Structure formats: C-alpha cells, structure tokens
Amino acid sequence: RTIFGDRHGVNPAVLTPEIIEGIRDLPPVAKARFFARNDPVACIRSLGGEPWSTQQDIINSIWANRKTLVKSCHASGKTWTAAETIVTWTLAHYPDVLTVVLAPTEDQITAGLWRELQLLWPRWAHLLPGKLGVKQWRVSDSETDAEGYGGVLALGRSPRPERPGSLQGLHNQNLLLVIDEAPEIDPRLWEAGRSLLTGANTRLLAIGNPTRK
C-alpha cells in the first residue's frame, strides 16, 4: 500500500499537518510528486524501498546541495541509491527534467545503473511517465502524456575522453548528473559534465570506489 498523505516518514519541518490536510484529496500522481519534491526518503519508503541511514543521508544531500560526492566500497548499495534518486528526482520535477548518467563504459551503464532502474521499475511504473529502454528513458511522441509532453527524461553516456563534445547540448534547469565509477572518469569528461550544471536547479551525484590516489 502506498502511504502518500500519511504522516509516516514525512519531514515535519516541511510537511505540517495543515499542508498534509491540503494535499490529502489530490490525485495519486500529484500527491506522489509533492512528496517526491519535499521528502524524497518518505517517497521511496512509501513505494517499498528501504534506504538505510547512509543512503538516506545521500538522498537528502542531493535535494539540499548542488554537489554530492560519495566514496564507497563494493556492494554498498550506491547503485541502488542512485537509481532510486533518479526516479524520485524525475517524479518530483516532471515534465521539465533530465537525468544524465555518465560512466566509463557502456557495460557499466547497462549492467549497473540501468539494470537497477529495471529492477525498481515495477514498483514505480504506475506513477512514472514514459518507458524505460536501453540507456534511455523517454516519453515518445506517440505516448505523449495528458500535458502533451514527449521527450527524453534520462539517458546514459560513456563518451570517449577525446570526444567530450558528445555531452554538449544536454541542458535542463532541473538536470541531475550522475557520475558512476567517478574515479575512473577522465578529467576531460569531468569538465564536460560540469558544463551541464548551469541550470537553476541542477544537481551532481558522483559515486564510486576510491581506486585512484
């Protein structure tokens, strides 16, 4: 059972009883978007996710700060956290939103973050627009939603370091840039990625194992 509108897990500093009462009768998707924007951890929990304390800190940091850098060990849940962040961020800011996932290789995208997105999709699909494809999440022209919107919501990129220009043009005021296996990303691609963060409400999440000194 989803619990959007209940008091479980909400941030009392943001979601006062008066606010909760005001959104109680909203349609499910509108209510979910409100919670995604204001209390992402509660939103994730209401859809069956169970982030532990460090994962909660990461998610809350992304909402509060322009840059969140996470050093982690293997099998620490960082990819799950990034995937849950992507769908919650998209739900919060749709339709004016874009997530760009940057990783050293295509396999790290498809077998890593995109695989995690596929696993969580059944829990979220009733609230999310569009379809999740291979390295791309989009609302196609033939599947435009009730607001008439069609377009790319998230995509994965693993450009060659000598071609950082392939990231040009990927701008949005609510852009989320996720850099997976960040220590392995070439400095030229780091610079190209940073150039995307010019919008009013952009975020950077960089995660990876500290393999380089």
Side-chain angles (χ1 to χ4, degrees):
R1 184 176 73 91
T2 58
I3 57 167
F4 295 120
D6 294 345
R7 292 297 301 275
H8 174 74
V10 301
N11 180 354
V14 176
L15 303 179
T16 64
E18 292 77 14
I19 291 176
I20 292 174
E21 183 63 32
I23 66 173
R24 189 176 300 279
D25 295 327
L26 288 176
V29 174
K31 197 179 297 185
R33 289 181 184 175
F34 179 89
F35 273 76
R37 185 174 293 229
N38 291 284
D39 196 333
V41 170
C43 182
I44 291 168
R45 282 177 168 168
S46 71
L47 288 162
E50 292 294 338
W52 51 288
S53 58
T54 298
Q55 292 172 322
Q56 293 176 38
D57 290 343
I58 293 168
I59 294 164
N60 286 328
S61 173
I62 295 163
W63 261 245
N65 301 290
R66 296 293 290 259
K67 298 178 182 179
T68 299
L69 311 178
V70 181
K71 294 182 180 180
S72 59
C73 60
H74 292 288
S76 61
K78 62 184 184 298
T79 305
W80 181 91
T81 305
E84 294 281 346
T85 294
I86 290 170
V87 293
T88 310
W89 183 264
T90 302
L91 181 63
H93 298 289
Y94 181 80
D96 189 13
V97 64
L98 175 64
T99 293
V100 177
V101 176
L102 181 62
T105 69
E106 290 191 8
D107 286 347
Q108 286 169 316
I109 294 174
T110 56
L113 243 172
W114 236 257
R115 173 62 176 160
E116 203 67 54
L117 285 170
Q118 291 167 344
L119 291 173
L120 66 80
W121 195 259
R123 289 193 286 112
W124 287 80
H126 65 292
L127 294 172
L128 298 174
K131 293 182 178 179
L132 185 67
V134 179
K135 296 194 302 179
Q136 190 174 92
W137 172 10
R138 66 174 292 119
V139 179
S140 70
D141 294 338
S142 62
E143 299 166 336
T144 52
D145 66 3
E147 300 169 5
Y149 179 82
V152 175
L153 301 177
L155 50 85
R157 287 286 185 269
S158 54
R160 295 166 59 181
E162 62 271 22
R163 298 187 60 186
S166 61
L167 294 175
Q168 290 181 352
L170 301 175
H171 295 285
N172 187 282
Q173 67 173 354
N174 296 309
L175 186 141
L176 170 64
L177 174 62
V178 179
I179 302 182
D180 199 7
E181 303 299 340
E184 301 303 317
I185 294 291
D186 186 276
R188 290 168 289 182
L189 297 180
W190 266 100
E191 190 61 30
R194 290 191 187 99
S195 72
L196 307 182
L197 303 173
T198 58
N201 188 41
T202 57
R203 296 292 189 275
L204 167 65
L205 169 61
I207 56 178
N209 306 309
T211 57
R212 291 182 178 179
K213 295 181 179 181

